[in-house]
Amino acid sequence: MSDTLTTAWALAWIRGAQAVLAENRMLLIELDRQIGDGDHGANMDKGFTAAVAKLEAGAETVQDVLKVVAQTLMSTVGGAAGPLYGTAFLRASKALGDSSEVDAAGVVALLEGALEGIVARGKATTGEKTMVDAWTPAIAAAQAVAEAGGSATEALYAASKAALEGAEATIPMLATKGRASYLGERSIGHQDPGATSTAYILAAAADASGLA
């Protein structure tokens, strides 16, 4: 398992995220139809496809990769997802500073930066049936690995598992933020699409750590 992650990992992550989002496009659309406006799957597929195309020219650092993704998502993705994920990737890039490689602590910093961006944009907190409910446990899981002296790869896999569990935990929640909140009690029993796409993106990050 990789103790540190490099630009090759970041590029593999975004390619992997694009692939898994494209594969699950219809599932994300259906989840969003149930409690939103039904465009989440299409928007995420479009945004990450555009990001991969932009990155074909390459990037020098992990930070550069994340900045390109941020800028591309902000300029190509409609709805709430573009600003939320765009800000997440931008803050994640800044959180890494000038590090040339990302260790377990860097994974935590990246995730924390992303969540800070999401909260700054969406003003949500845990328990409100949003993507925050996937990012928050992901950070806690990665932090535990980092504090135990684990590798960056181990931190990512722990974060990925926790994010999936967090997404699934949104099913019984009452939505109190975003479009889903308009449904009131009818939002209960549906998995949040943003939390689900978060789980896919972090799974891709973990899987890429074994490829790069």
Side-chain angles (χ1 to χ4, degrees), residues 2 4-13 207-212:
S2 299
T4 59
L5 304 166
T6 64
T7 308
W9 160 75
L11 291 167
W13 171 19
D207 289 344
S209 68
L211 300 174

Side-chain angles (χ1 to χ4, degrees), residues 103-197:
D103 59 9
V107 169
V108 175
L110 184 160
L111 296 175
E112 287 179 335
L115 178 58
E116 287 170 6
I118 291 164
V119 170
R121 277 283 184 174
K123 312 301 182 187
T125 188
T126 54
E128 294 185 318
K129 202 182 187 85
T130 72
M131 62 176 68
V132 171
D133 293 303
W135 286 96
T136 300
I139 292 168
Q143 182 71 56
V145 171
E147 290 176 354
S151 68
T153 297
E154 289 168 334
L156 282 173
Y157 271 103
S160 171
K161 182 176 182 292
L164 178 58
E165 292 170 351
E168 292 171 345
T170 65
I171 295 172
M173 290 180 183
L174 172 70
T176 56
K177 275 290 190 297
R179 192 177 184 91
S181 65
Y182 302 158
L183 297 177
E185 297 279 336
R186 287 180 293 152
S187 67
I188 296 172
H190 301 288
Q191 185 164 314
D192 181 69
T196 306
S197 60

Side-chain angles (χ1 to χ4, degrees), residues 76-102:
T76 63
V77 177
L84 287 170
Y85 272 117
T87 307
F89 275 91
L90 185 60
R91 294 285 187 93
S93 173
K94 290 179 178 179
L96 291 177
D98 57 1
S99 304
S100 59
E101 294 187 348
V102 180

Side-chain angles (χ1 to χ4, degrees), residues 18 22 44-54 72:
Q18 185 278 324
M44 296 302 291
D45 184 13
K46 176 184 178 182
F48 275 80
T49 297
V52 168
K54 289 264 187 168
T72 305

Side-chain angles (χ1 to χ4, degrees), residues 16-88:
Q18 185 278 324
V20 73
L21 290 167
E23 180 183 350
N24 290 282
R25 180 177 184 271
M26 290 309 301
L27 173 60
L28 290 172
I29 285 173
E30 183 55 34
L31 288 176
D32 200 30
R33 277 179 182 156
Q34 293 166 0
I35 58 173
D37 50 16
D39 64 355
H40 191 63
N43 282 339
M44 296 302 291
D45 184 13
K46 176 184 178 182
F48 275 80
T49 297
V52 168
K54 289 264 187 168
L55 288 167
E56 285 180 358
E60 290 189 8
T61 67
V62 174
Q63 293 90 327
D64 289 340
V65 173
L66 301 183
K67 284 179 186 176
V68 168
V69 174
Q71 293 163 355
T72 305
L73 294 180
M74 287 181 180
S75 63
T76 63
V77 177
L84 287 170
Y85 272 117
T87 307

